[in-house]
Amino acid sequence: MPAKPMATPAAGTSSASITNVAALANVSTATVSRVLSGKRAKDDDIARRVRAAASALNYSVNYAASALRSDVTNTIGLIIPSATESLSAQLLDELEQLVDVESQQLLLGIGRDQATQTERMESLMARNVDGLIIIAASGADLAAPLERFAQQTPIVQVGGRQRSFRTSMVSIDENAAMEMTVRHLVSSGVRSVAYLAGKEVSFESAELFAMFHTQMRSYSLATANDWNQFGERTVQRGFHCAMRLFGYGREEITDDFRARPDALICCDDTVAFGAMIALDTIGLRIPQDVRIVGYGDSPLAATTMPQLTSLRPPVGQIAAEARRLIAAGPASPAHITLPPQLVVRGSTTVG
Amino acid sequence: MPAKPMATPAAGTSSASITNVAALANVSTATVSRVLSGKRAKDDDIARRVRAAASALNYSVNYAASALRSDVTNTIGLIIPSATESLSAQLLDELEQLVDVESQQLLLGIGRDQATQTERMESLMARNVDGLIIIAASGADLAAPLERFAQQTPIVQVGGRQRSFRTSMVSIDENAAMEMTVRHLVSSGVRSVAYLAGKEVSFESAELFAMFHTQMRSYSLATANDWNQFGERTVQRGFHCAMRLFGYGREEITDDFRARPDALICCDDTVAFGAMIALDTIGLRIPQDVRIVGYGDSPLAATTMPQLTSLRPPVGQIAAEARRLIAAGPASPAHITLPPQLVVRGSTTVG
DNA sequence: TTGTAAGCGTTATCAC
DNA sequence: GTGATAACGCTTACAA
């Protein structure tokens, strides 16, 4: 059975090109392109022949050639401050799964500051990514490059404060988070609450702090100025704060009940871990004497004793929305806010 | 001043192509290509003119066209089990910095099992990555695809056991890790040690377990079969193990000194955290009564009290070696082993 | 050293 | 709906 001219460049190696497939299927390269890219509805004999030939030759499109001609790279750019940061890592995992479904791939840029992130944006744009997803570094002002590139490709900003009418934004509804946290505590009998806030980008923290006080008032809960404070997201900080708040031990708590909160809201699981250690040291029981809520639902939250109630960022939804907004194109920017999920565990419920 | 024909497509937008630059600099596109890609040594007037024109037009090469013609994509593929896994995340951060220096970019694939990882390898290879770096998922056997693709592009495997003569491998010298850990403990007066090993891929753990015993013998240290065990890498596990080992409290320790180890080697920082909590609960002091060493140098290790001595994986070196091996091409596979760094903190030293 | 021109593999356009 | 053909923007023989 003599092969047609040009039919086979060692069938099985990956170096087959569209002309080989076309020759083997006895159609033109144009038809092959149309069939394989789904631009041709029918599933007739021709379509089957093309697909058969393609798989026989182990053919896959040359992305470079395709991108050159069609300006579609099937590549999504993702810029994050660091892969070791929890939200970024989770988003990476979720996004990778989603984009793979559409046989797209993630091109990664990592930058901890404004300058580096801007540079990465430029690099990725130079590669003609089909979309850009960005978690801005803490304190970075990316307004200018965002504005500039938004005209060329859809951009989705995840979290952060900087609003732009050209780029989309998907963020966590921190106010809802605070509301559901307080509501949960109230429903389990809490009367007074302390808040160990995060200190970083001040505006965001300040807003949350205000929301905390709003919730305190609306549920008629007690709090005190010197209970609440801004600070780092470390175990150490949680430990010190809890020691300061509860340091006198159990006996004295009963003497002066109102001088101590019966619940602690922490800006981060790590802070909660520290507080748990401190309470354990002091001899106060969780949740009987003090209830604790963390933030982030770190993997370690399920391994403490008791397990830590925590707010889980809606990363799956964030990824899905980001994906959707990019598919929608640069013309229709939207701002979306998603509430986290309160994962209730032993640190706020008895039994 | 009439522009030369073809000179400017709205100078400033990014749609400038090499022909525009050539026209503006009054040279051929070939020369522009040579100058900008560094294939032309001299820094004469021509070179300057070309660079000036390029920057005036805000020109950057079209990667798709470049890749199509030259088969170099300036793209490195990276496959990891999950971005939320510590080693993967750190490697991501380190690699991204390194490849950026050569204006390459990372194309990411994430897969937790053999099937997914194999599929991601195929996707990335289909994109003609210039190299592939892989952290194999626990228990995944990638021998077949590795062997297959190693002929087309340089591949570096990070960690793991599967050896191949076609692919390079960079891994952590766990035996050296065990050796330096024990040596450090000995130098601080420890006489008996318990080892809380990791349980996963059994072969690796078993080898380390053997190395532990070798070190015990060579330093004449005491250990007991029921002190050491395999298990999960969780806080909970560390807590339970330590309670089991030390549960009787301080008084009894002094009664039956040799029945308790005076140091704990943990397969993971999380296990060490759990053990620290347990010891605190029991009333034993770290490091005076028990010394503890973790593994992984997690960010939390520096926030415990006392801070945790831990082994830091040589991620920076791993990234650099991987990068180098990929630059070297597929023809020269090498197997490299790098020792971790022992970060000594308060959990093993007084003061 | 420089310019000319031929591709790289694909998709879009245009006839049919 | 299909096939011929012209781009897409770049790199690299080859010729000058």
Side-chain angles (χ1 to χ4, degrees):
Chain A
M1 189 211 287
K4 298 200 177 293
M6 291 195 55
T8 52
T13 66
S14 63
S15 54
S17 92
I18 199 171
T19 33
N20 303 310
V21 178
L24 186 58
N26 243 319
V27 293
S28 70
T29 60
T31 301
V32 173
S33 175
R34 285 189 277 250
V35 169
L36 295 181
S37 67
K39 293 218 169 93
R40 181 180 177 285
K42 283 195 296 187
D43 185 12
D44 56 5
D45 187 51
I46 290 182
R48 272 190 298 272
R49 248 162 49 216
V50 168
R51 275 194 287 270
S55 82
L57 295 174
N58 194 21
Y59 168 77
S60 63
V61 295
N62 180 316
Y63 279 93
S66 173
L68 174 58
R69 184 59 234 243
S70 68
D71 270 337
V72 174
T73 54
N74 278 300
T75 297
I76 305 288
L78 176 62
I79 294 178
I80 57 177
S82 161
T84 56
E85 187 242 336
S86 169
L87 181 66
S88 297
Q90 292 179 45
L91 189 65
L92 258 176
D93 278 0
E94 296 285 346
L95 263 180
E96 204 274 346
Q97 284 183 39
L98 283 185
V99 303
D100 181 77
V101 172
E102 322 242 347
S103 68
Q104 297 179 313
Q105 300 258 280
L106 283 184
L107 207 48
L108 192 68
I110 297 180
R112 292 170 193 280
D113 53 44
Q114 178 174 334
T116 317
Q117 289 204 320
T118 305
E119 190 194 297
R120 295 301 191 273
M121 285 181 72
E122 281 160 359
S123 305
L124 292 177
M125 289 303 298
R127 299 222 176 202
N128 288 311
V129 292
D130 295 340
L132 205 51
I133 299 174
I134 301 182
I135 297 183
S138 172
D141 176 8
L142 304 173
L146 282 173
E147 202 75 9
R148 178 152 58 101
F149 294 131
Q151 300 166 27
Q152 298 167 46
T153 207
I155 297 183
V156 178
Q157 219 186 319
V158 173
R161 282 277 139 199
Q162 289 166 40
R163 307 192 163 265
S164 151
F165 293 107
R166 309 202 90 110
T167 67
S168 294
M169 198 154 98
V170 180
S171 46
I172 300 174
D173 190 340
E174 307 286 7
N175 285 340
M178 182 60 81
E179 202 280 330
M180 63 208 292
T181 302
V182 173
R183 183 150 36 94
H184 168 66
L185 289 174
V186 165
S187 78
S188 66
V190 163
R191 304 301 315 277
S192 58
V193 184
Y195 176 35
L196 306 187
K199 78 157 173 227
E200 53 217 40
V201 201
S202 49
F203 180 64
E204 214 161 344
S205 292
E207 190 178 296
L208 259 174
F209 207 68
M211 185 64 184
F212 169 72
H213 282 293
T214 304
Q215 293 298 324
M216 290 297 101
R217 273 194 302 278
S218 90
Y219 285 104
S220 304
L221 296 176
T223 192
N225 283 340
D226 67 337
W227 288 0
N228 314 307
Q229 53 165 243
F230 298 97
E232 310 231 317
R233 297 164 189 265
T234 63
V235 174
Q236 198 118 32
R237 185 264 179 121
F239 184 89
H240 287 312
C241 285
M243 286 305 264
R244 190 175 55 76
L245 281 171
F246 302 99
Y248 298 100
R250 183 119 88 109
E251 318 73 41
E252 309 199 25
I253 289 258
T254 48
D255 290 355
D256 185 7
F257 183 77
R258 274 151 307 183
R260 304 282 175 267
D262 40 48
L264 224 50
I265 298 178
C266 302
C267 63
D268 196 279
D269 284 352
T270 54
V271 175
F273 296 149
M276 289 175 90
I277 295 173
L279 289 170
D280 193 64
T281 305
I282 293 168
L284 288 170
R285 293 164 305 165
I286 306 168
Q288 293 87 346
D289 298 322
V290 183
R291 291 164 199 253
I292 298 193
V293 180
Y295 188 96
D297 195 32
S298 125
L300 292 187
T303 68
T304 55
M305 307 210 325
Q307 298 185 5
L308 178 65
T309 293
S310 187
L311 285 154
R312 174 184 298 165
V315 186
Q317 290 175 61
I318 290 175
E321 289 297 329
R323 189 62 209 71
R324 189 178 64 76
L325 289 168
I326 280 178
S332 51
H335 289 190
I336 295 175
T337 303
L338 300 165
Q341 182 193 350
L342 183 69
V343 182
V344 176
R345 300 204 184 87
S347 72
T348 57
T349 50
V350 189
Chain B
M1 189 211 289
K4 298 200 177 293
M6 292 194 54
T8 52
T13 66
S14 64
S15 53
S17 92
I18 199 172
T19 36
N20 302 311
V21 178
L24 186 58
N26 244 319
V27 294
S28 71
T29 61
T31 301
V32 174
S33 174
R34 286 190 276 251
V35 169
L36 295 182
S37 67
K39 293 218 169 94
R40 180 179 177 288
K42 283 196 296 190
D43 186 13
D44 55 5
D45 187 53
I46 291 182
R48 271 191 297 272
R49 249 161 49 214
V50 168
R51 276 193 286 271
S55 83
L57 295 175
N58 194 20
Y59 169 77
S60 63
V61 294
N62 180 318
Y63 279 94
S66 171
L68 175 59
R69 184 58 232 248
S70 67
D71 269 337
V72 174
T73 55
N74 279 300
T75 296
I76 305 288
L78 176 62
I79 295 178
I80 57 176
S82 161
T84 56
E85 187 243 335
S86 170
L87 181 66
S88 298
Q90 292 179 46
L91 188 65
L92 258 175
D93 278 0
E94 296 285 346
L95 264 179
E96 204 273 347
Q97 284 183 38
L98 284 185
V99 304
D100 182 78
V101 172
E102 323 244 347
S103 69
Q104 296 179 313
Q105 300 259 280
L106 282 184
L107 208 46
L108 193 69
I110 296 180
R112 292 170 194 280
D113 52 45
Q114 178 174 332
T116 317
Q117 289 204 321
T118 305
E119 190 193 297
R120 295 300 191 273
M121 284 180 73
E122 283 159 359
S123 305
L124 293 177
M125 289 303 299
R127 299 222 176 202
N128 289 311
V129 292
D130 294 341
L132 205 51
I133 299 174
I134 302 182
I135 297 183
S138 172
D141 176 10
L142 304 173
L146 282 173
E147 202 75 12
R148 179 151 58 102
F149 294 131
Q151 300 166 28
Q152 299 167 46
T153 208
I155 298 183
V156 178
Q157 221 186 317
V158 174
R161 283 276 139 197
Q162 291 165 39
R163 308 192 161 266
S164 151
F165 292 107
R166 308 203 91 112
T167 67
S168 295
M169 198 154 96
V170 180
S171 45
I172 300 174
D173 190 340
E174 306 287 6
N175 285 340
M178 182 61 80
E179 202 280 330
M180 62 207 293
T181 302
V182 173
R183 183 150 36 95
H184 168 66
L185 289 175
V186 166
S187 79
S188 66
V190 162
R191 304 303 314 275
S192 58
V193 184
Y195 177 35
L196 306 187
K199 79 157 172 228
E200 52 216 41
V201 201
S202 48
F203 180 63
E204 214 162 344
S205 293
E207 190 178 296
L208 258 175
F209 207 67
M211 185 63 184
F212 169 71
H213 282 292
T214 303
Q215 292 299 323
M216 290 296 102
R217 274 195 301 278
S218 91
Y219 284 106
S220 305
L221 296 175
T223 191
N225 283 339
D226 67 336
W227 287 0
N228 313 309
Q229 53 164 243
F230 298 97
E232 310 230 317
R233 295 162 191 267
T234 62
V235 174
Q236 198 119 32
R237 186 265 179 118
F239 184 89
H240 286 313
C241 285
M243 287 304 267
R244 190 175 55 76
L245 281 171
F246 302 100
Y248 296 100
R250 183 118 88 107
E251 317 74 40
E252 310 200 24
I253 289 258
T254 48
D255 290 356
D256 183 10
F257 184 75
R258 274 152 306 183
R260 304 282 176 270
D262 40 48
L264 224 48
I265 298 179
C266 302
C267 63
D268 197 280
D269 283 352
T270 54
V271 175
F273 296 149
M276 288 176 90
I277 295 173
L279 289 170
D280 193 65
T281 305
I282 293 167
L284 288 170
R285 294 164 305 164
I286 306 168
Q288 293 87 345
D289 298 322
V290 183
R291 291 166 200 254
I292 299 194
V293 180
Y295 187 97
D297 195 33
S298 123
L300 292 188
T303 68
T304 56
M305 307 211 323
Q307 297 185 6
L308 178 65
T309 293
S310 186
L311 286 153
R312 174 185 299 165
V315 186
Q317 291 176 61
I318 291 176
E321 289 297 328
R323 189 62 209 71
R324 190 178 62 77
L325 288 168
I326 280 179
S332 51
H335 289 188
I336 294 175
T337 304
L338 300 165
Q341 182 193 350
L342 183 69
V343 182
V344 177
R345 300 204 185 86
S347 72
T348 58
T349 48
V350 189

PDB file of all heavy atoms in Angstrom, chain B residues 20 33 39 42 46 73 113 146 175-176 190 201 209 228 245 249 262 264 267 278 281 288 341 345-346:
ATOM      1  N   ASN B  20       9.047  47.603  11.159  1.00  0.00           N
ATOM      2  CA  ASN B  20       8.977  49.012  11.544  1.00  0.00           C
ATOM      3  C   ASN B  20      10.289  49.481  12.140  1.00  0.00           C
ATOM      4  O   ASN B  20      10.786  50.555  11.815  1.00  0.00           O
ATOM      5  CB  ASN B  20       7.862  49.211  12.564  1.00  0.00           C
ATOM      6  CG  ASN B  20       6.521  48.755  12.039  1.00  0.00           C
ATOM      7  OD1 ASN B  20       6.132  49.108  10.930  1.00  0.00           O
ATOM      8  ND2 ASN B  20       5.846  47.933  12.798  1.00  0.00           N
ATOM      9  N   SER B  33      17.132  41.834  13.925  1.00  0.00           N
ATOM     10  CA  SER B  33      17.061  40.572  14.635  1.00  0.00           C
ATOM     11  C   SER B  33      18.392  40.239  15.284  1.00  0.00           C
ATOM     12  O   SER B  33      18.456  39.864  16.452  1.00  0.00           O
ATOM     13  CB  SER B  33      16.663  39.456  13.659  1.00  0.00           C
ATOM     14  OG  SER B  33      16.710  38.205  14.288  1.00  0.00           O
ATOM     15  N   LYS B  39      23.240  38.430  18.704  1.00  0.00           N
ATOM     16  CA  LYS B  39      24.083  37.617  17.822  1.00  0.00           C
ATOM     17  C   LYS B  39      25.062  38.492  17.027  1.00  0.00           C
ATOM     18  O   LYS B  39      25.620  38.059  16.016  1.00  0.00           O
ATOM     19  CB  LYS B  39      23.198  36.826  16.848  1.00  0.00           C
ATOM     20  CG  LYS B  39      22.354  35.770  17.540  1.00  0.00           C
ATOM     21  CD  LYS B  39      22.237  34.507  16.700  1.00  0.00           C
ATOM     22  CE  LYS B  39      21.639  33.376  17.509  1.00  0.00           C
ATOM     23  NZ  LYS B  39      20.174  33.284  17.327  1.00  0.00           N
ATOM     24  N   LYS B  42      29.408  43.785  18.232  1.00  0.00           N
ATOM     25  CA  LYS B  42      29.779  45.200  18.302  1.00  0.00           C
ATOM     26  C   LYS B  42      28.667  46.136  18.797  1.00  0.00           C
ATOM     27  O   LYS B  42      27.498  45.904  18.567  1.00  0.00           O
ATOM     28  CB  LYS B  42      30.239  45.684  16.920  1.00  0.00           C
ATOM     29  CG  LYS B  42      31.637  45.232  16.569  1.00  0.00           C
ATOM     30  CD  LYS B  42      32.186  46.035  15.404  1.00  0.00           C
ATOM     31  CE  LYS B  42      31.386  45.799  14.139  1.00  0.00           C
ATOM     32  NZ  LYS B  42      32.044  46.391  12.953  1.00  0.00           N
ATOM     33  N   ILE B  46      25.331  51.363  14.223  1.00  0.00           N
ATOM     34  CA  ILE B  46      24.164  50.596  13.768  1.00  0.00           C
ATOM     35  C   ILE B  46      23.405  50.012  14.942  1.00  0.00           C
ATOM     36  O   ILE B  46      22.185  50.152  15.050  1.00  0.00           O
ATOM     37  CB  ILE B  46      24.613  49.474  12.806  1.00  0.00           C
ATOM     38  CG1 ILE B  46      25.114  50.086  11.496  1.00  0.00           C
ATOM     39  CG2 ILE B  46      23.476  48.498  12.569  1.00  0.00           C
ATOM     40  CD1 ILE B  46      25.530  49.072  10.462  1.00  0.00           C
ATOM     41  N   THR B  73      11.274  28.453  22.617  1.00  0.00           N
ATOM     42  CA  THR B  73      10.085  29.133  23.126  1.00  0.00           C
ATOM     43  C   THR B  73      10.372  30.030  24.316  1.00  0.00           C
ATOM     44  O   THR B  73       9.501  30.755  24.776  1.00  0.00           O
ATOM     45  CB  THR B  73       9.017  28.110  23.547  1.00  0.00           C
ATOM     46  OG1 THR B  73       9.603  27.196  24.479  1.00  0.00           O
ATOM     47  CG2 THR B  73       8.492  27.354  22.364  1.00  0.00           C
ATOM     48  N   ASP B 113      -1.634  13.201  40.846  1.00  0.00           N
ATOM     49  CA  ASP B 113      -1.430  11.769  40.656  1.00  0.00           C
ATOM     50  C   ASP B 113      -0.729  11.502  39.335  1.00  0.00           C
ATOM     51  O   ASP B 113      -0.531  12.397  38.517  1.00  0.00           O
ATOM     52  CB  ASP B 113      -2.779  11.040  40.699  1.00  0.00           C
ATOM     53  CG  ASP B 113      -3.760  11.678  39.733  1.00  0.00           C
ATOM     54  OD1 ASP B 113      -3.357  11.968  38.596  1.00  0.00           O
ATOM     55  OD2 ASP B 113      -4.920  11.902  40.123  1.00  0.00           O
ATOM     56  N   LEU B 146       8.700  10.073  30.998  1.00  0.00           N
ATOM     57  CA  LEU B 146      10.007  10.704  31.158  1.00  0.00           C
ATOM     58  C   LEU B 146      10.965  10.203  30.084  1.00  0.00           C
ATOM     59  O   LEU B 146      11.626  10.979  29.404  1.00  0.00           O
ATOM     60  CB  LEU B 146      10.586  10.390  32.542  1.00  0.00           C
ATOM     61  CG  LEU B 146      10.027  11.186  33.714  1.00  0.00           C
ATOM     62  CD1 LEU B 146      10.569  10.653  35.029  1.00  0.00           C
ATOM     63  CD2 LEU B 146      10.381  12.654  33.562  1.00  0.00           C
ATOM     64  N   ASN B 175      20.145  11.649  53.810  1.00  0.00           N
ATOM     65  CA  ASN B 175      21.085  10.980  54.707  1.00  0.00           C
ATOM     66  C   ASN B 175      21.990  11.998  55.388  1.00  0.00           C
ATOM     67  O   ASN B 175      22.225  11.932  56.586  1.00  0.00           O
ATOM     68  CB  ASN B 175      21.922   9.961  53.935  1.00  0.00           C
ATOM     69  CG  ASN B 175      21.112   8.720  53.605  1.00  0.00           C
ATOM     70  OD1 ASN B 175      20.093   8.457  54.236  1.00  0.00           O
ATOM     71  ND2 ASN B 175      21.550   7.970  52.613  1.00  0.00           N
ATOM     72  N   ALA B 176      22.462  12.942  54.597  1.00  0.00           N
ATOM     73  CA  ALA B 176      23.286  14.005  55.175  1.00  0.00           C
ATOM     74  C   ALA B 176      22.475  14.780  56.202  1.00  0.00           C
ATOM     75  O   ALA B 176      22.981  15.185  57.253  1.00  0.00           O
ATOM     76  CB  ALA B 176      23.778  14.941  54.077  1.00  0.00           C
ATOM     77  N   VAL B 190      23.105  15.543  74.011  1.00  0.00           N
ATOM     78  CA  VAL B 190      22.020  14.556  73.990  1.00  0.00           C
ATOM     79  C   VAL B 190      22.573  13.130  74.045  1.00  0.00           C
ATOM     80  O   VAL B 190      23.603  12.829  73.448  1.00  0.00           O
ATOM     81  CB  VAL B 190      21.175  14.753  72.717  1.00  0.00           C
ATOM     82  CG1 VAL B 190      20.333  13.536  72.414  1.00  0.00           C
ATOM     83  CG2 VAL B 190      20.315  15.993  72.866  1.00  0.00           C
ATOM     84  N   VAL B 201       5.751   7.365  50.897  1.00  0.00           N
ATOM     85  CA  VAL B 201       6.462   6.454  49.998  1.00  0.00           C
ATOM     86  C   VAL B 201       7.447   5.601  50.802  1.00  0.00           C
ATOM     87  O   VAL B 201       8.531   6.028  51.149  1.00  0.00           O
ATOM     88  CB  VAL B 201       7.252   7.231  48.923  1.00  0.00           C
ATOM     89  CG1 VAL B 201       7.534   6.325  47.764  1.00  0.00           C
ATOM     90  CG2 VAL B 201       6.531   8.487  48.518  1.00  0.00           C
ATOM     91  N   PHE B 209      15.026   5.763  57.976  1.00  0.00           N
ATOM     92  CA  PHE B 209      14.931   5.079  59.263  1.00  0.00           C
ATOM     93  C   PHE B 209      16.205   4.286  59.525  1.00  0.00           C
ATOM     94  O   PHE B 209      16.767   4.313  60.627  1.00  0.00           O
ATOM     95  CB  PHE B 209      13.713   4.143  59.239  1.00  0.00           C
ATOM     96  CG  PHE B 209      13.131   3.894  60.588  1.00  0.00           C
ATOM     97  CD1 PHE B 209      12.505   4.920  61.291  1.00  0.00           C
ATOM     98  CD2 PHE B 209      13.213   2.639  61.167  1.00  0.00           C
ATOM     99  CE1 PHE B 209      11.960   4.686  62.541  1.00  0.00           C
ATOM    100  CE2 PHE B 209      12.678   2.400  62.416  1.00  0.00           C
ATOM    101  CZ  PHE B 209      12.048   3.425  63.105  1.00  0.00           C
ATOM    102  N   ASN B 228      10.333   5.016  68.363  1.00  0.00           N
ATOM    103  CA  ASN B 228      10.337   5.463  66.978  1.00  0.00           C
ATOM    104  C   ASN B 228       9.146   4.881  66.235  1.00  0.00           C
ATOM    105  O   ASN B 228       8.775   3.741  66.445  1.00  0.00           O
ATOM    106  CB  ASN B 228      11.623   5.011  66.300  1.00  0.00           C
ATOM    107  CG  ASN B 228      12.829   5.319  67.161  1.00  0.00           C
ATOM    108  OD1 ASN B 228      13.002   6.436  67.614  1.00  0.00           O
ATOM    109  ND2 ASN B 228      13.647   4.302  67.427  1.00  0.00           N
ATOM    110  N   LEU B 245       5.131   9.341  74.617  1.00  0.00           N
ATOM    111  CA  LEU B 245       6.527   9.191  75.045  1.00  0.00           C
ATOM    112  C   LEU B 245       6.787   9.799  76.424  1.00  0.00           C
ATOM    113  O   LEU B 245       7.567   9.270  77.217  1.00  0.00           O
ATOM    114  CB  LEU B 245       7.464   9.866  74.023  1.00  0.00           C
ATOM    115  CG  LEU B 245       7.769   9.099  72.754  1.00  0.00           C
ATOM    116  CD1 LEU B 245       8.520   9.991  71.772  1.00  0.00           C
ATOM    117  CD2 LEU B 245       8.613   7.875  73.079  1.00  0.00           C
ATOM    118  N   GLY B 249       4.874  12.996  82.869  1.00  0.00           N
ATOM    119  CA  GLY B 249       5.229  14.251  83.532  1.00  0.00           C
ATOM    120  C   GLY B 249       6.655  14.248  84.052  1.00  0.00           C
ATOM    121  O   GLY B 249       7.342  13.226  84.065  1.00  0.00           O
ATOM    122  N   ASP B 262      15.957  12.158  75.366  1.00  0.00           N
ATOM    123  CA  ASP B 262      16.099  13.580  75.631  1.00  0.00           C
ATOM    124  C   ASP B 262      16.173  14.421  74.362  1.00  0.00           C
ATOM    125  O   ASP B 262      16.489  15.607  74.413  1.00  0.00           O
ATOM    126  CB  ASP B 262      17.248  13.889  76.607  1.00  0.00           C
ATOM    127  CG  ASP B 262      18.464  13.050  76.385  1.00  0.00           C
ATOM    128  OD1 ASP B 262      18.893  12.950  75.212  1.00  0.00           O
ATOM    129  OD2 ASP B 262      18.979  12.484  77.352  1.00  0.00           O
ATOM    130  N   LEU B 264      14.072  14.717  70.257  1.00  0.00           N
ATOM    131  CA  LEU B 264      13.045  14.241  69.336  1.00  0.00           C
ATOM    132  C   LEU B 264      13.405  14.750  67.950  1.00  0.00           C
ATOM    133  O   LEU B 264      13.580  15.947  67.751  1.00  0.00           O
ATOM    134  CB  LEU B 264      11.710  14.855  69.753  1.00  0.00           C
ATOM    135  CG  LEU B 264      10.453  14.002  69.796  1.00  0.00           C
ATOM    136  CD1 LEU B 264      10.693  12.712  70.534  1.00  0.00           C
ATOM    137  CD2 LEU B 264       9.338  14.811  70.458  1.00  0.00           C
ATOM    138  N   CYS B 267       9.894  14.264  61.414  1.00  0.00           N
ATOM    139  CA  CYS B 267       9.964  14.233  59.951  1.00  0.00           C
ATOM    140  C   CYS B 267       9.410  15.506  59.336  1.00  0.00           C
ATOM    141  O   CYS B 267       9.549  15.730  58.132  1.00  0.00           O
ATOM    142  CB  CYS B 267       9.203  13.036  59.419  1.00  0.00           C
ATOM    143  SG  CYS B 267       7.442  13.107  59.806  1.00  0.00           S
ATOM    144  N   ALA B 278       2.450  19.336  73.298  1.00  0.00           N
ATOM    145  CA  ALA B 278       2.311  18.250  74.265  1.00  0.00           C
ATOM    146  C   ALA B 278       3.287  18.437  75.422  1.00  0.00           C
ATOM    147  O   ALA B 278       2.911  18.321  76.602  1.00  0.00           O
ATOM    148  CB  ALA B 278       2.558  16.911  73.574  1.00  0.00           C
ATOM    149  N   THR B 281       2.157  21.076  77.665  1.00  0.00           N
ATOM    150  CA  THR B 281       1.033  20.594  78.469  1.00  0.00           C
ATOM    151  C   THR B 281       1.522  19.762  79.644  1.00  0.00           C
ATOM    152  O   THR B 281       1.048  19.899  80.784  1.00  0.00           O
ATOM    153  CB  THR B 281       0.116  19.716  77.592  1.00  0.00           C
ATOM    154  OG1 THR B 281      -0.272  20.452  76.450  1.00  0.00           O
ATOM    155  CG2 THR B 281      -1.120  19.278  78.377  1.00  0.00           C
ATOM    156  N   GLN B 288      15.608  22.465  77.721  1.00  0.00           N
ATOM    157  CA  GLN B 288      16.276  21.905  78.892  1.00  0.00           C
ATOM    158  C   GLN B 288      15.967  20.432  79.127  1.00  0.00           C
ATOM    159  O   GLN B 288      16.884  19.633  79.384  1.00  0.00           O
ATOM    160  CB  GLN B 288      15.914  22.703  80.160  1.00  0.00           C
ATOM    161  CG  GLN B 288      16.450  24.126  80.167  1.00  0.00           C
ATOM    162  CD  GLN B 288      15.487  25.103  79.487  1.00  0.00           C
ATOM    163  OE1 GLN B 288      14.576  24.689  78.775  1.00  0.00           O
ATOM    164  NE2 GLN B 288      15.714  26.392  79.711  1.00  0.00           N
ATOM    165  N   GLN B 341      20.099  22.637  54.968  1.00  0.00           N
ATOM    166  CA  GLN B 341      20.831  23.466  55.920  1.00  0.00           C
ATOM    167  C   GLN B 341      20.165  23.345  57.284  1.00  0.00           C
ATOM    168  O   GLN B 341      18.940  23.470  57.399  1.00  0.00           O
ATOM    169  CB  GLN B 341      20.784  24.917  55.438  1.00  0.00           C
ATOM    170  CG  GLN B 341      21.540  25.880  56.321  1.00  0.00           C
ATOM    171  CD  GLN B 341      21.201  27.325  55.968  1.00  0.00           C
ATOM    172  OE1 GLN B 341      20.558  27.599  54.969  1.00  0.00           O
ATOM    173  NE2 GLN B 341      21.641  28.241  56.815  1.00  0.00           N
ATOM    174  N   ARG B 345      17.915  26.826  66.230  1.00  0.00           N
ATOM    175  CA  ARG B 345      17.177  27.821  67.002  1.00  0.00           C
ATOM    176  C   ARG B 345      17.015  27.335  68.438  1.00  0.00           C
ATOM    177  O   ARG B 345      17.671  26.376  68.867  1.00  0.00           O
ATOM    178  CB  ARG B 345      15.811  28.070  66.361  1.00  0.00           C
ATOM    179  CG  ARG B 345      15.878  28.595  64.933  1.00  0.00           C
ATOM    180  CD  ARG B 345      14.627  29.355  64.566  1.00  0.00           C
ATOM    181  NE  ARG B 345      14.623  29.769  63.149  1.00  0.00           N
ATOM    182  CZ  ARG B 345      14.186  28.997  62.164  1.00  0.00           C
ATOM    183  NH1 ARG B 345      13.711  27.785  62.423  1.00  0.00           N
ATOM    184  NH2 ARG B 345      14.205  29.432  60.922  1.00  0.00           N
ATOM    185  N   GLY B 346      16.120  27.984  69.143  1.00  0.00           N
ATOM    186  CA  GLY B 346      16.000  27.749  70.581  1.00  0.00           C
ATOM    187  C   GLY B 346      15.597  26.351  71.018  1.00  0.00           C
ATOM    188  O   GLY B 346      15.835  25.972  72.158  1.00  0.00           O
TER     189      GLY B 346
END
